[in-house]
Amino acid sequence: MGSSLAKRTPKKGKRSKRTERPRKSWWGRLFRFGVYTGFLVSLGVAGYLLYLDRNITKTFEGRRWSVPAQLYARPTELYPTARISLVELETELKRLGYRLDPNLTTPGTFKRRGRQLDIHLRDFRFMERHRSAQRITVYFNGDEIRQLTGRSGDIPLLRLDPAVIGSFFPSHGEDRIILTPDEVPELLAEGLKAIEDRGFDKHVGFSLRGILRALVANIRSGERAQGGSTLTQQLVKSYYLDNRRTYERKLQEVAMAFILDARFSKEDILTAYVNEIFLGQNGARAIHGFGLGAQFYFNKPLTELDPDEIATMISIIRGPSFYNPFRHPERALERRNRILNTFHKDGLIDETQFNVAVAQPIGVVASPNSAGAYYPAFLDQVRAELKEVYDSSDLSSRGLRIFTTIDPRLQDDVQRSITRTLGQIETDRRIDSGALQAAAIVADTQTGEIQALVGGRKGRVDGFNRALSAQRPVGSLIKPVVYLVALEQGHHLASIVKDEPLTLTPPNGQPWSPKNFDGEYRGDLPLVRALAQSLNLATVHLGTTIGLDHVQNRFADLVGRAPRNRYPSLLLGAEDLSPMEMLGLYGNFASNGFRTRPKAVIAVLDERGRPLTHHPFDLTQTIQSGDVAAINRALEIVMAKGTGRSSPFARQGIAGKTGTSNDNRDSWFAGFDNTYLSVVWVGRDDNEVTGLTGASGALRVWNNIARQQPITPLQHPPGPELVAVEFDTGLRAAPSCADVVMIPVPDKYELPIKPGCGIRTRVRDRIRRWLGN
């Protein structure tokens, strides 16, 4: 046992292997762990920053020049003999944002001198050429222009710059007018720095002092009350981040602002801020950037804003709702004046400018919808036409310039007429206020160019577009198609048709016994009277004689689609159409026998002004000249002696037709003179009974529209000579002894003469009286 113990005892002077290995310090282990962890964290941070860098650069480069397509209205044309008064031209200039200035200091100004207007026009790039800013003088003679002069003498024709009527902003609703650095006023650039970020030119995207100041304020208040954000950080929040207010998101914001500042120049960042900042909301349309903000709040370009107006817009940044100048003008005015005081102290404006600016009222337009023009219903039609050629991304980002057919003056007249007339009808008939709705379209009779389109009672609010999307029974508006087919089959307007009871039982259908509106029967009568008085029984008798299938085929030719209703009730308008489809149908009559597709777009230019597409009107003859002359004459008689006779314009060369659906749910009117074709619908969205006929509803709306525009009587193409026939019977008669209408009758027909009232009889009686004397 002793020997074994001796073996285990180490020899003197030697140490075991375990005691020779040095013991590792835990401090060393901790150090190495820290190095490894720091390396990994640094690698992660570097990777994250690299990711942020690429993401920020790509998004910034793409988004700062992502420009929604801008849409322009038809420009007002000025020329000698143009029917526009001095007051009307003043109104149009104010609509375009021109302002009174006795010195015409800058473009966008005008002044009045007696019976003339001096105008300093803005420069504008039209479809064909660029027009430089210039001064002109317009001389008036009564309600028309007598002469236009410029630097080089008389001007035969001049166009005002067209109104901007909207943009095709993306689906998230952001709209903006993109500005280049040269288009940003110096006062705006320096004013933004003075109010929002004094260290902008020196810091690296964020301000440590600002962050610490905000942190102290937040600790004292016990909540996240301040953010200490620079202009660059505000831009980062708008471009990349959501609205959460957390410290983690704040760190991300600082990192991104640092990268943005390192990658891009201060001028680029400031310009992007000017184009991006949120300045208010107009329905679904978000107002972004000072370019659009100037149009929205002051109805003029940013470059024409005065110091007080620039200060007002800067004041809105802190709280577009809180400092909304439409809802809180006193609050906005107080902040504006504080900003003007800062401008003055910093030497951005002098003493005189300051005194003038603070003395101004808040100065915004009367309401959000009176700044410039915004017509969402018309824009729906433009989209519908352009989607055949362009993707939605092209319309919302490529900066296209779209020239359209809309006439803003006429559009506003139509909208006011609808709003005013519906209110009058509701009062007169004791209908709940706001229950009625309406739609109306006005187009050029020859080209089909849509000059006004109203989709509802509130025209500048996005919503259901009844002009394009409301499919409603058209009632008697379809009857001219039946009478046209009869004319094409050899009948004439004096041909006799029966107005008496009948019952039809179509195959696999129920017996149908139509009735006249008043429940009466009139026996034999001429086609012209049957159409003028919109007699249902006469129309059904005529339709069964000429063949329902022929009417259906003709409907398809004129409308562009087959009718959905294959039963005889189609003859009385039991067919749903939209006002736009009805415009297409009546366009065949208004254009003297040609189908012209309604159009809203004239041309599309790219961001450099180069033409991309031109949209000429297409023309297809659908009705022979003699037949269309006869049907249009019959529609004139509808106005003069039939269901349209209550109109004050009934005998002024207007052709038209009223329409009423079953149970008086829908009220329609379609009418045209030599210039305009109009379609009006009045009804309820819930399809309840209105109690209105075409004459008591839609025709009243049209009457108010017509009061705003001069009537140009129809001019009929050459055709058969007009013959005087008695309205009740269709017999030839003299005006002195019968109630006659003048209708075209082909020479091959010899009409019977009313006994004792023929032209020859009246001449013979006059000779006898003369001989007797």
Side-chain angles (χ1 to χ4, degrees):
M1 185 174 184
S3 61
S4 64
L5 289 173
K7 289 179 181 178
R8 294 178 188 176
T9 303
K11 293 181 180 180
K12 189 175 180 179
K14 292 184 178 181
R15 302 181 64 180
S16 68
K17 293 180 180 180
R18 183 174 299 178
T19 57
E20 289 177 356
R21 187 179 301 165
R23 179 169 294 188
K24 295 180 180 179
S25 169
W26 69 272
W27 285 106
R29 294 180 180 179
L30 184 61
F31 174 76
R32 282 191 294 272
F33 175 79
V35 170
Y36 295 150
T37 303
F39 174 75
L40 292 175
V41 170
S42 300
L43 189 62
V45 169
Y48 178 66
L49 291 176
L50 182 62
Y51 163 77
L52 286 181
D53 178 61
R54 291 182 177 178
N55 184 46
I56 290 170
T57 303
K58 180 179 178 181
T59 303
F60 187 82
E61 285 287 2
R63 184 163 177 173
R64 63 173 172 162
W65 304 120
S66 179
V67 188
Q70 276 200 318
L71 288 85
Y72 296 92
R74 174 192 300 272
T76 298
E77 293 186 340
L78 307 179
Y79 53 89
T81 73
R83 292 192 59 82
I84 182 171
S85 68
L86 187 150
V87 173
E88 288 172 333
L89 183 53
E90 274 189 314
T91 302
E92 184 63 19
L93 290 171
K94 291 176 182 177
R95 180 203 302 274
L96 295 173
Y98 281 67
R99 63 191 187 280
L100 283 168
D101 180 356
N103 300 317
L104 299 182
T105 310
T106 61
T109 56
F110 70 96
K111 69 177 179 179
R112 180 174 180 173
R113 292 188 294 155
R115 297 295 302 165
Q116 67 187 59
L117 277 179
D118 297 328
I119 309 172
H120 195 166
L121 294 170
R122 301 181 180 119
D123 69 327
F124 188 80
R125 183 187 296 169
F126 289 93
M127 291 182 290
E128 308 86 3
R129 62 182 179 84
H130 178 267
R131 184 196 67 201
S132 301
Q134 58 184 280
R135 298 188 183 193
I136 65 165
T137 300
V138 186
Y139 301 88
F140 293 86
N141 182 18
D143 289 341
E144 70 177 31
I145 293 175
R146 176 171 58 86
Q147 184 182 16
L148 288 93
T149 62
R151 175 181 292 183
S152 302
D154 286 351
I155 302 173
L157 173 67
L158 182 139
R159 290 176 295 177
L160 297 179
D161 32 305
V164 177
I165 61 168
S167 303
F168 283 144
F169 43 85
S171 59
H172 47 75
E174 295 181 6
D175 194 8
R176 56 178 53 77
I177 295 175
I178 295 295
L179 304 170
T180 64
D182 293 339
E183 294 172 322
V184 179
E186 183 179 0
L187 180 58
L188 174 61
E190 296 303 319
L192 283 170
K193 297 174 192 177
I195 302 301
E196 294 291 324
D197 188 1
R198 286 189 173 275
F200 176 78
D201 291 326
K202 298 179 180 179
H203 62 58
V204 292
F206 65 94
S207 169
L208 187 58
R209 179 181 298 177
I211 294 174
L212 292 175
R213 184 174 60 249
L215 180 62
V216 171
N218 293 338
I219 293 173
R220 288 176 177 175
S221 65
E223 59 181 1
R224 290 267 301 142
Q226 294 186 22
S229 296
T230 63
L231 289 176
T232 312
Q233 289 172 263
Q234 292 180 45
L235 183 61
V236 164
K237 283 187 286 187
S238 181
Y239 267 18
Y240 307 102
L241 303 177
D242 55 35
N243 292 321
R244 289 177 302 161
R245 304 184 70 176
T246 64
Y247 289 108
E248 293 81 4
R249 205 218 63 166
K250 190 68 178 180
L251 289 173
Q252 186 181 22
E253 173 191 307
V254 168
M256 297 176 84
F258 175 78
I259 293 172
L260 196 63
D261 188 84
R263 281 290 189 181
F264 299 95
S265 70
K266 294 289 186 179
E267 182 183 62
D268 284 343
I269 294 172
L270 184 60
T271 303
Y273 180 90
V274 166
N275 287 325
E276 177 66 22
I277 195 66
F278 174 66
L279 291 173
Q281 193 79 26
N282 184 26
R285 180 191 189 205
I287 308 301
H288 281 259
F290 284 85
L292 182 60
Q295 293 286 351
F296 180 68
Y297 288 107
F298 299 103
N299 192 25
K300 54 185 175 181
L302 180 63
T303 54
E304 295 179 15
L305 294 190
D306 295 324
D308 61 288
E309 295 166 333
I310 289 177
T312 297
M313 293 189 63
I314 292 177
S315 72
I316 296 171
I317 295 173
R318 287 288 177 92
S321 296
F322 190 78
Y323 291 110
N324 186 327
F326 298 122
R327 296 180 179 176
H328 310 293
E330 298 86 1
R331 191 182 292 166
L333 182 65
E334 180 184 0
R335 176 160 172 76
R336 182 207 73 177
N337 289 343
R338 291 203 306 269
I339 290 173
L340 285 171
N341 189 55
T342 301
F343 285 0
H344 183 224
K345 287 182 178 179
D346 287 5
L348 302 179
I349 57 176
D350 59 29
E351 185 74 21
T352 301
Q353 289 175 307
F354 172 73
N355 291 332
V356 170
V358 295
Q360 301 301 314
I362 196 64
V364 294
V365 294
S367 71
N369 288 328
S370 61
Y374 178 57
Y375 306 116
F378 180 78
L379 265 59
D380 287 342
Q381 175 64 21
V382 175
R383 282 191 189 91
E385 293 181 26
L386 292 178
K387 73 178 183 180
E388 301 173 4
V389 182
Y390 300 96
D391 293 332
S392 59
S393 60
D394 294 334
L395 298 177
S396 62
S397 64
R398 287 180 52 189
L400 303 180
R401 303 174 73 231
I402 302 169
F403 290 87
T404 74
T405 60
I406 193 172
D407 179 343
R409 285 196 299 163
L410 180 56
Q411 172 77 23
D412 290 345
D413 287 342
V414 174
Q415 184 66 66
R416 281 193 299 267
S417 297
I418 284 178
T419 303
R420 184 184 305 119
T421 310
L422 293 188
Q424 293 169 348
I425 292 172
E426 288 169 344
T427 300
D428 295 344
R429 294 181 168 265
R430 298 181 180 179
I431 300 173
D432 291 343
S433 178
L436 292 179
Q437 271 294 352
I441 313 174
V442 181
D444 186 283
T445 56
Q446 303 306 309
T447 66
E449 293 180 346
I450 299 168
Q451 300 193 19
L453 191 154
V454 175
R457 192 165 182 160
K458 296 180 180 179
R460 293 190 178 181
V461 176
D462 292 283
F464 182 57
N465 190 339
R466 296 160 189 83
L468 304 184
S469 303
Q471 295 281 327
R472 308 291 295 199
V474 300
S476 296
L477 249 61
I478 207 171
K479 288 177 180 175
V481 179
V482 180
Y483 289 79
L484 172 64
V485 174
L487 294 173
E488 292 172 335
Q489 290 188 3
H491 294 74
H492 52 76
L493 293 179
S495 296
I496 300 302
V497 64
K498 294 182 179 298
D499 185 62
E500 59 186 25
L502 81 166
T503 298
L504 299 176
T505 305
N508 302 319
Q510 297 294 320
W512 180 54
S513 300
K515 292 182 175 12
N516 285 331
F517 182 77
D518 60 4
E520 301 293 328
Y521 316 114
R522 292 161 180 80
D524 291 349
L525 42 73
L527 297 189
V528 66
R529 180 185 172 194
L531 180 58
Q533 295 181 338
S534 201
L535 300 175
N536 292 339
L537 291 173
T539 302
V540 174
H541 273 288
L542 182 63
T544 56
T545 299
I546 61 179
L548 176 61
D549 56 333
H550 292 293
V551 175
Q552 292 169 336
N553 292 337
R554 207 66 178 98
F555 175 96
D557 294 338
L558 300 175
V559 175
R561 67 165 177 84
R564 302 180 182 93
N565 182 1
R566 310 303 295 179
Y567 294 97
S569 57
L570 172 70
L571 301 170
L572 300 184
E575 175 74 17
D576 292 352
L577 274 79
S578 69
M580 181 60 72
E581 289 177 311
M582 189 54 66
L583 185 82
L585 170 58
Y586 272 75
N588 294 276
F589 308 137
S591 62
N592 288 316
F594 292 86
R595 188 170 76 184
T596 55
R597 182 182 180 184
K599 57 174 286 188
V601 178
I602 299 173
V604 179
L605 279 60
D606 67 13
E607 69 279 4
R608 297 182 181 178
R610 297 172 300 191
L612 295 177
T613 54
H614 187 68
H615 298 247
F617 63 91
D618 54 0
L619 207 61
T620 304
Q621 185 169 10
T622 52
I623 310 173
Q624 294 300 314
S625 60
D627 296 326
V628 76
I631 203 71
N632 285 353
R633 181 61 189 145
L635 292 173
E636 282 187 88
I637 295 170
V638 170
M639 295 299 295
K641 300 184 71 65
T643 56
R645 65 187 181 277
S646 63
S647 170
F649 307 99
R651 295 179 179 270
Q652 296 187 23
I654 297 292
K657 186 72 185 74
T658 59
T660 309
S661 67
N662 282 344
D663 300 324
N664 296 66
R665 298 177 189 275
D666 300 276
S667 171
W668 288 88
F669 177 75
F672 53 93
D673 62 4
N674 209 53
T675 304
Y676 295 121
L677 164 63
S678 304
V679 172
V680 181
W681 168 84
V682 174
R684 294 178 60 137
D685 286 342
D686 58 9
N687 200 32
E688 288 295 316
V689 173
T690 66
L692 299 173
T693 64
S696 63
L699 180 58
R700 287 182 62 179
V701 174
W702 180 85
N703 288 340
N704 278 331
I705 295 172
R707 288 187 178 96
Q708 315 299 320
Q709 303 294 327
I711 299 293
T712 55
L714 281 177
Q715 296 179 2
H716 297 285
E721 181 182 356
L722 296 182
V723 176
V725 302
E726 186 176 38
F727 180 64
D728 285 345
T729 65
L731 299 174
R732 288 198 65 172
S736 58
C737 60
D739 179 18
V740 302
V741 292
M742 304 297 293
I743 61 172
V745 177
D747 295 337
K748 63 182 180 180
Y749 296 106
E750 183 68 30
L751 298 184
I753 300 172
K754 181 177 181 179
C757 192
I759 295 176
R760 294 188 183 92
T761 302
R762 305 309 296 174
V763 171
R764 184 182 60 202
D765 289 345
R766 289 180 183 176
I767 292 174
R768 285 177 177 175
R769 285 197 299 269
W770 179 74
L771 291 175
N773 292 336

